[in-house]
Amino acid sequence: MRARRFAFAFLCAFLPSAAGAVLPSERLADPALEARARVISQDLRCQVCQNQSIDDSNASLAADLRRLVRERLTAGDSNEAVLSYVTQRYGDYVLLRPPLRTDTILLWYGPFGLLAAGLLGAAIYIRRRNPKAAPSVASLSAEEEQRLAKLLAPEERK
């Protein structure tokens, strides 16, 4: 009984995400073309939603893009041709995994650079807080120590 409840809760939690936002009216009659359209749609970013694929988005613009992908596939385009067509119209931002080029290298490796800079800054901060690493204060000479002792003991002078 407990296993059934767990299975039901699992299905309720993950079944809607597996289905996506594709409406039955959008689906293609050919299962192979529909599968290709779903694969392509999962790689395209919804322009309205934050970091959500057009396959998962309920936005009207995502539905338009899904329709465009299906039209291009029905016209006989390959997956790469469809992605190229959509990228030419909307730019690289439409891709959930942008290509690695010189103008996108900061996008790919920028977070690692920021992490390295943060770790370096933390290491420098910790090293400066370490008393052993701090520069030592020069000791007093014998003459200076005698003068200091006289200043600190004013009662002896009297």
Side-chain angles (χ1 to χ4, degrees), residues 1-56:
M1 188 66 163
R2 196 174 222 181
R4 285 185 183 174
R5 285 183 184 171
F6 178 74
F8 180 72
F10 182 80
L11 285 176
C12 287
F14 293 106
L15 192 59
S17 65
V22 178
L23 299 174
S25 62
E26 296 177 4
R27 293 189 179 140
L28 296 172
D30 184 5
L33 277 181
E34 178 62 25
R36 287 176 52 201
R38 297 295 299 265
V39 168
I40 293 171
S41 296
Q42 290 170 357
D43 288 341
L44 295 174
R45 178 191 319 269
C46 175
Q47 303 291 305
V48 178
C49 309
Q50 276 198 327
N51 215 18
Q52 195 174 24
S53 73
I54 63 170
D55 197 52
D56 297 331

Side-chain angles (χ1 to χ4, degrees), residues 92 98-110:
D92 285 339
L100 181 61
R101 295 188 314 237
T102 53
D103 59 335
T104 61
I105 201 160
L106 195 66
L107 181 70
W108 281 95
Y109 297 111

Side-chain angles (χ1 to χ4, degrees), residues 40-66 68-69 83 85-98:
I40 293 171
S41 296
Q42 290 170 357
D43 288 341
L44 295 174
R45 178 191 319 269
C46 175
Q47 303 291 305
V48 178
C49 309
Q50 276 198 327
N51 215 18
Q52 195 174 24
S53 73
I54 63 170
D55 197 52
D56 297 331
S57 174
N58 291 324
S60 60
L61 182 60
D64 290 344
L65 280 173
R66 287 192 301 264
L68 176 69
V69 167
L83 285 174
Y85 180 80
V86 174
T87 304
Q88 286 176 353
R89 276 183 92 174
Y90 296 98
D92 285 339
Y93 181 74
V94 77
L95 299 173
L96 280 173
R97 283 176 260 152

Side-chain angles (χ1 to χ4, degrees), residues 94-149:
V94 77
L95 299 173
L96 280 173
R97 283 176 260 152
L100 181 61
R101 295 188 314 237
T102 53
D103 59 335
T104 61
I105 201 160
L106 195 66
L107 181 70
W108 281 95
Y109 297 111
F112 297 111
L114 286 175
L115 178 66
L119 290 175
L120 180 66
I124 290 171
Y125 175 75
I126 290 171
R127 185 169 170 87
R128 286 187 179 175
R129 289 191 62 203
N130 186 357
K132 291 179 182 175
S136 63
V137 178
S139 60
L140 300 175
S141 66
E143 181 181 319
E144 291 171 335
E145 285 182 12
Q146 286 177 354
R147 278 186 55 207
L148 182 62

